[in-house]
Amino acid sequence: MTDFIQSGIATATEPTIAELIKRPLLTCAATDSLQTAAQLMRQHKVSCILIREGEVITGIWSEADTRKLAFDKINPTEVEVGTVMSSPVISASGSTQVSGAASLMLNHNIRRLLVVDANQRPIGLLTQSDIVRQQKIEFYLRFREVGSCLNKAALHLAADLPLSDAVEAMRHARADAAIVNFTNGDYGLVTERDLVHLLADGRNCPLIGELATMPLLCVAPELSLLDAVELLTERQVRHLAISSNQRICGLLSFSDILRNVEYAYIEQLKTALRDRDHALRTSADYLRLAHKVIDASMDGILITDKQGVIQSVNPSFTKLTGYTPQEAIGQTPRLLSSGLHEADFYRHLWHTLLEKGHWQGEIWNKRKNGELYPQWLSITAIRDEEQQITQYAAIFSDITERKRQEEKIHQLAYMDELTGLANRRMFFDRLQLALANAHRHNHTLAVLFLDLDLFKRINDTLGHLAGDQALKEVARRLQTTLREGESVARIGGDEFTILIPEVNGCKSLQILAQRIISQLERPVQLLQQEFFLTTSIGISLYPKDGHSAELLVKHADVAMYQAKSAGRNQYSFYQASSSQQNEDELKLEQALRQALRQQQLQVYYQPKFALKTGELTGLEALLRWQDPELGSVSPAMFIPLAEKLGLIHQLGEQVLRQVCAQLREWQDLALPVAINISALQLTEPDFLPRLRAILEQSGISAKLLELELTESCLIPEHADYTLSVLTELKELGLRLSIDDFGTGYSSLSYLRRLPLDALKIDRSFIRDLPESESGSQITLAIIAMGKALGLEVIAEGIELAAQRQFLLDAGCDTGQGFLVSPALPPAEIRQWLTVKQ
């Protein structure tokens, strides 16, 4: 095809080679040394230099000529460049079109042309790189991979190969570059340009490995030619290594790209067809080459006359459509019509084709076997010298795989892969459109938020495959329950949302919610067993509960939790007060996380005293939190929240470290300090090792620490584990006590087995002493039981002298409360102790 298009007739859209000249000519005298020529080429960053004798260009010395040199025998300062140049220099007129110049280069197997004016005076050099960069072939390059351009294996050279032998190998292989293999497994690259630089420096380089450029720039065979051209341009290099499965399988250069892209030029095809009659009159070879290009094309090509009757097709046409040339020629392209496009589509196609001379786009056509498939189609009008349309050329490719990939990407982006329902993104897109419509027509819209009750049990007991099966069944039932126009989505886990774009009243929503609940209550068959699912549904309304998609979904979620709190398997409409409560809890959660990160929680200490003598017997560590925004936050709020969020271990460790550090400062006081331990902390596997490590780091005696355990720690089901942990704590030397005794459940026989030192009566029993009859009886019973078990009995929350006297008379040993002192920060405790002494 390149010979065929070398007519020199430039089209209206194709530039001449004179327009591509970017740099002035670089020349040197034939008597200049080889080193001088190489230095000039490196200085001007070019790949060749023209050799002149006087004012006449007699030859050219290029990077490719370096392969002809015997590097072990020449001295570049002594060799005249004229003795090693290539001659004659192939030239072309500056008015030659680009396609003709490309053909000339390929026919002569050269990479550059000398461009001359009408008087045969040199005006510049044209390179293959200049041609590739100017061609508008992005579509072709985008859908071709670099692996398709490789027609021979890359030349590999050992790094310890002598330079002269390496150059000989490149000359023998006709390779402009070679991959250098190092013994450590690394790769480098040596090109003709590196040889030029070596000559310019005049230095000795015994081994080829010393000349190699590293690291080797590698790409995968699947990379598109368009990306390869951009990478070559960006890195200002001319070679890319093609790597597959960690193996170098070839090198890609601009030359390889040029050889491939010539077959993709639609404009060249148009020129070939327009000049076909001329070719028949001048040379049979031209016609043969034109047919060869068309026949070799991977895309389907058909030629019609100006009435649209098919005149010729190529082999790829038959491969793609199933129609042989005999079946297609004489027919019109209606033979391929899919019937999917309206008449307006074809009217617009022909209008564009007649007005602009070309049309391209996506179209659905039909194969001979009836299969419909998508094409990327380009149609070009062929005009004669009088600019009258004589033919049409169409080139098309099957883009079924590309459409399949696009559909896959769309599904991944907008559909839930497990259930086939819309995902969160698509649901919000639909909700945005529905909100705009509801606002425009002033009607009500509803969002339902569904969460399956206790769904985790299925995953935990039957496994995730059964859980997935249950979710698919739920999705199917929801789809069959909804009416036309209503849409359901799975937004994550076992959470679903439903959009009701237009609502007549709350009654219809109540009926729908109850219908959904009834549908999901029916048993589900999982692993040959019947399981029952229930759901909690929250409902929010536009515009009452919000004007944005995010707010409506958020409020429906809040309403769903209201339904769960009310007992599950029911629905609830959004109530603003619950939303505020959730926002407050979220705000508190964020503040707590920040307080733990910044260690803002402080330990206060409340004295414990002997009821009989008033003597100080120890201290209890109590946590206090003063937040910059929330102010003073009660432990009754943040301790349960820390347990809920799984932060109690981090919080407990911070308290333990603060108390141990404080005890180290108070070594002269030798006062024991009691610390509250949560049931969650006690069950943590690394609780004991971390406690030992903290004690060792602080250097304090374990006897100065007392751990207060709530009754919830003493669950009989965990009796053996709890007994072993408490025994180890006791062996360390720590005191152990039961806190808030009387508010939980403890087996007396179990208590007798535990290595405890004290019982602590909960403040709720002390508050109304001595007036409360029931409080008095319970307190007396706890004290009697503690004494019977040989335990110290401690009462907390003592605020009145009458309470202290009652407890003293009942036999209680120790107390604490506001009667003596509230909890104080460490500095004030020190002052308080000084006053007491």
Side-chain angles (χ1 to χ4, degrees):
M1 178 173 180
T2 52
D3 290 333
F4 180 71
I5 64 175
Q6 193 187 340
S7 62
I9 301 174
T11 66
T13 58
E14 186 174 4
T16 63
I17 59 176
E19 298 174 53
L20 299 185
I21 302 301
K22 303 296 183 183
R23 300 181 182 180
L25 286 172
L26 180 66
T27 66
C28 70
T31 55
D32 286 343
S33 70
L34 191 58
Q35 184 179 42
T36 300
Q39 289 173 342
L40 283 171
M41 287 169 59
R42 182 173 63 180
Q43 176 185 349
H44 293 274
K45 297 180 179 179
V46 295
S47 60
C48 67
I49 187 168
L50 292 168
I51 313 303
R52 53 177 167 76
E53 294 183 10
E55 297 300 321
V56 179
I57 301 298
T58 58
I60 186 171
W61 190 75
S62 67
E63 292 175 345
D65 292 319
T66 58
R67 289 180 285 163
K68 304 174 184 177
L69 302 175
F71 277 79
D72 58 339
K73 298 178 181 178
I74 66 165
N75 184 339
T77 61
E78 298 175 354
V79 177
E80 293 184 358
V81 69
T83 63
V84 293
M85 69 181 181
S86 296
S87 181
V89 181
I90 305 299
S91 64
S93 170
S95 60
T96 303
Q97 64 187 53
V98 172
S99 56
S103 175
L104 189 60
M105 287 182 176
L106 291 169
N107 288 339
H108 288 83
N109 194 26
I110 57 176
R111 296 192 300 198
R112 53 190 65 81
L113 278 175
L114 177 63
V115 183
V116 297
D117 62 15
N119 297 319
Q120 297 299 305
R121 288 191 298 263
I123 59 175
L125 272 178
L126 178 74
T127 67
Q128 286 180 337
S129 301
D130 297 327
I131 294 177
V132 172
R133 290 191 179 108
Q134 72 85 34
Q135 293 294 339
K136 304 301 182 183
I137 53 171
E138 287 81 359
F139 179 81
Y140 169 83
L141 295 176
R142 184 177 292 110
F143 291 98
R144 264 60 174 185
E145 298 176 347
V146 297
S148 66
C149 291
L150 298 180
N151 51 24
K152 64 178 181 178
L155 176 63
H156 286 258
L157 301 175
D160 57 359
L161 188 68
L163 176 64
S164 58
D165 293 345
V167 175
E168 171 64 24
M170 291 174 66
R171 177 166 63 253
H172 180 73
R174 296 182 180 180
D176 61 353
I179 296 171
V180 179
N181 302 329
F182 290 86
T183 55
N184 62 357
D186 290 340
Y187 294 102
L189 181 69
V190 168
T191 68
E192 296 166 344
R193 180 158 295 184
D194 297 319
L195 299 177
V196 171
H197 291 178
L198 184 65
L199 293 171
D201 292 336
R203 61 187 176 90
N204 183 31
C205 183
L207 303 179
I208 192 64
E210 300 175 15
L211 193 61
T213 301
M214 298 178 64
L216 186 62
L217 184 58
C218 295
V219 298
E222 297 80 16
L223 185 74
S224 72
L225 286 178
L226 180 61
D227 291 335
V229 170
E230 291 176 350
L231 186 59
L232 287 166
T233 304
E234 176 189 347
R235 298 294 184 88
Q236 296 185 344
V237 296
R238 292 183 298 173
H239 295 84
L240 293 174
I242 313 302
S243 173
S244 177
N245 298 324
Q246 298 183 341
R247 184 178 66 85
I248 305 299
C249 54
L251 284 172
L252 177 75
S253 69
F254 271 118
S255 300
D256 301 319
I257 297 174
L258 183 62
R259 288 189 181 94
N260 280 267
V261 301
E262 65 168 328
Y263 298 104
Y265 299 160
I266 293 178
E267 286 301 318
Q268 291 178 352
L269 175 63
K270 181 180 72 174
T271 303
L273 294 171
R274 186 185 65 197
D275 294 338
R276 184 176 59 180
D277 290 340
H278 174 72
L280 287 170
R281 291 191 299 268
T282 57
S283 174
D285 291 340
Y286 287 168
L287 181 59
R288 185 174 64 254
L289 287 172
H291 280 300
K292 184 180 294 185
V293 170
I294 294 174
D295 291 347
S297 173
M298 292 181 292
D299 294 330
I301 298 175
L302 65 90
I303 312 299
T304 74
D305 62 18
K306 63 181 179 180
Q307 282 78 33
V309 177
I310 299 174
Q311 295 178 320
S312 64
V313 298
N314 72 340
S316 290
F317 173 92
T318 300
K319 182 179 179 181
L320 292 173
T321 68
Y323 288 102
T324 64
Q326 293 77 14
E327 293 171 320
I329 293 173
Q331 301 287 335
T332 68
R334 293 190 188 94
L335 178 72
L336 309 174
S337 176
S338 66
L340 297 180
H341 299 287
E342 300 291 339
D344 285 344
F345 173 84
Y346 294 104
R347 276 195 292 269
H348 179 264
L349 183 156
W350 279 104
H351 175 76
T352 303
L353 183 58
L354 293 174
E355 182 180 80
K356 298 182 177 180
H358 60 86
W359 180 92
Q360 71 173 6
E362 185 179 305
I363 188 172
W364 282 83
N365 271 336
K366 182 173 65 176
R367 307 188 206 273
K368 182 180 178 180
N369 62 8
E371 177 188 355
L372 302 182
Y373 70 105
Q375 289 181 353
W376 183 263
L377 173 64
S378 297
I379 307 175
T380 301
I382 310 299
R383 301 178 187 272
D384 58 18
E385 288 77 2
E386 286 76 33
Q387 295 302 303
Q388 298 299 312
I389 295 177
T390 59
Q391 293 170 306
Y392 295 100
I395 178 169
F396 62 91
S397 57
D398 185 345
I399 58 172
T400 301
E401 184 59 30
R402 191 185 80 183
K403 297 289 290 184
R404 187 178 294 116
Q405 294 300 323
E406 290 175 353
E407 180 64 23
K408 180 68 174 177
I409 292 171
H410 180 271
Q411 289 182 353
L412 291 175
Y414 290 99
M415 304 299 292
D416 176 56
E417 189 173 3
L418 176 65
T419 63
L421 299 178
N423 64 7
R424 175 184 291 271
R425 177 182 294 180
M426 179 172 281
F427 179 79
F428 272 89
D429 287 349
R430 290 174 176 175
L431 181 52
Q432 294 283 9
L433 292 174
L435 281 171
N437 187 58
H439 175 73
R440 187 181 306 112
H441 297 96
N442 194 28
H443 61 69
T444 302
L445 171 153
V447 172
L448 280 66
F449 196 107
L450 289 72
D451 184 88
L452 302 180
D453 298 327
L454 305 176
F455 180 75
K456 187 174 181 292
R457 293 180 303 177
I458 293 180
N459 283 333
D460 291 345
T461 56
L462 300 182
H464 288 280
L465 289 178
D468 290 348
Q469 183 182 343
L471 291 173
K472 291 179 183 178
E473 176 62 18
V474 168
R476 188 192 65 80
R477 294 186 187 183
L478 289 176
Q479 286 179 304
T480 58
T481 304
L482 298 181
R483 297 166 297 186
E484 184 178 359
E486 301 170 346
S487 59
V488 58
R490 178 180 176 230
I491 62 172
D494 59 339
E495 295 178 336
F496 299 82
T497 50
I498 296 175
L499 169 62
I500 312 298
E502 189 168 354
V503 178
N504 296 324
C506 291
K507 184 64 176 176
S508 64
L509 290 174
Q510 292 172 342
I511 294 172
L512 173 62
Q514 192 56 57
R515 190 164 69 245
I516 292 172
I517 290 172
S518 300
Q519 280 284 346
L520 298 188
E521 279 179 333
R522 292 189 291 111
V524 179
Q525 287 289 333
L526 301 175
L527 302 181
Q528 288 78 47
Q529 300 180 54
E530 281 194 349
F531 279 81
F532 293 87
L533 292 172
T534 61
T535 184
S536 299
I537 305 175
I539 307 171
S540 64
L541 300 172
Y542 167 87
K544 180 176 76 70
D545 299 327
H547 289 77
S548 69
E550 292 77 9
L551 199 57
L552 285 171
V553 172
K554 174 186 174 184
H555 287 168
D557 188 14
V558 171
M560 181 272 294
Y561 277 106
Q562 293 172 348
K564 281 190 180 293
S565 299
R568 299 189 178 89
N569 198 30
Q570 55 187 289
Y571 62 87
S572 175
F573 285 86
Y574 169 71
Q575 301 294 330
S577 58
S578 296
S579 178
Q580 184 61 47
Q581 180 180 349
N582 286 346
E583 289 179 8
D584 291 344
E585 183 173 327
L586 178 60
K587 188 175 182 181
L588 182 63
E589 174 188 336
Q590 292 171 335
L592 178 58
R593 291 183 186 277
Q594 183 176 358
L596 287 172
R597 283 196 302 269
Q598 299 179 356
Q599 298 193 4
Q600 295 175 349
L601 302 177
Q602 298 296 319
V603 177
Y604 280 40
Y605 298 88
Q606 186 175 41
K608 295 196 293 187
F609 58 93
L611 292 177
K612 187 173 183 180
T613 64
E615 179 184 355
L616 183 67
T617 60
L619 302 168
E620 180 182 7
L622 298 171
L623 203 54
R624 297 293 182 263
W625 178 20
Q626 186 70 29
D627 186 78
E629 294 185 11
L630 302 177
S632 178
V633 184
S634 169
M637 292 179 63
F638 69 79
I639 296 294
L641 181 60
E643 292 181 333
K644 176 182 175 182
L645 299 175
L647 301 174
I648 193 65
H649 309 302
Q650 182 181 353
L651 183 147
E653 184 170 336
Q654 286 191 16
V655 171
L656 191 58
R657 290 187 181 278
Q658 282 193 46
V659 169
C660 288
Q662 193 63 59
L663 282 172
R664 189 169 58 244
E665 292 185 19
W666 287 347
Q667 287 186 6
D668 58 316
L669 299 177
L671 282 173
V673 175
I675 301 175
N676 292 282
I677 297 297
S678 142
L680 293 176
Q681 287 177 270
L682 196 65
T683 58
E684 191 178 4
D686 62 344
F687 172 69
L688 277 170
R690 285 194 290 114
L691 176 61
R692 289 193 187 97
I694 292 172
L695 287 172
E696 290 176 4
Q697 291 169 9
S698 62
I700 66 166
S701 171
K703 295 180 180 180
L704 293 177
L705 277 183
E706 177 180 340
L707 300 185
E708 295 188 358
L709 315 171
T710 60
E711 272 191 280
S712 60
C713 296
L714 310 181
I715 301 173
E717 286 80 358
H718 302 157
D720 293 337
Y721 175 78
T722 303
L723 177 60
S724 66
V725 173
L726 295 184
T727 301
E728 288 191 57
L729 290 172
K730 193 65 180 174
E731 290 174 354
L732 284 176
L734 285 82
R735 276 175 53 87
L736 302 174
S737 62
I738 299 298
D739 193 16
D740 300 335
F741 190 80
T743 60
Y745 168 79
S746 297
S747 165
L748 294 182
S749 61
Y750 179 42
L751 280 177
R752 292 178 58 189
R753 297 170 54 198
L754 300 178
L756 300 174
D757 296 290
L759 289 180
K760 201 167 188 181
I761 307 172
D762 186 69
R763 66 177 66 247
S764 61
F765 302 122
I766 307 299
R767 184 182 303 115
D768 297 325
L769 293 180
E771 289 80 6
S772 171
E773 181 65 24
S774 60
S776 300
Q777 293 302 320
I778 293 173
T779 302
L780 290 172
I782 292 174
I783 294 172
M785 184 182 67
K787 291 297 183 181
L789 294 173
L791 304 177
E792 177 188 1
V793 180
I794 307 169
E796 60 181 354
I798 302 174
E799 299 181 359
L800 304 173
Q803 294 170 339
R804 174 180 179 176
Q805 189 60 48
F806 178 88
L807 292 166
L808 180 61
D809 294 342
C812 183
D813 305 301
T814 309
Q816 64 185 89
F818 279 28
L819 179 64
V820 173
S821 172
L824 299 172
E828 295 184 27
I829 278 289
R830 189 77 180 191
Q831 296 175 1
W832 184 86
L833 292 174
T834 302
V835 172
K836 286 295 181 181
Q837 292 173 352

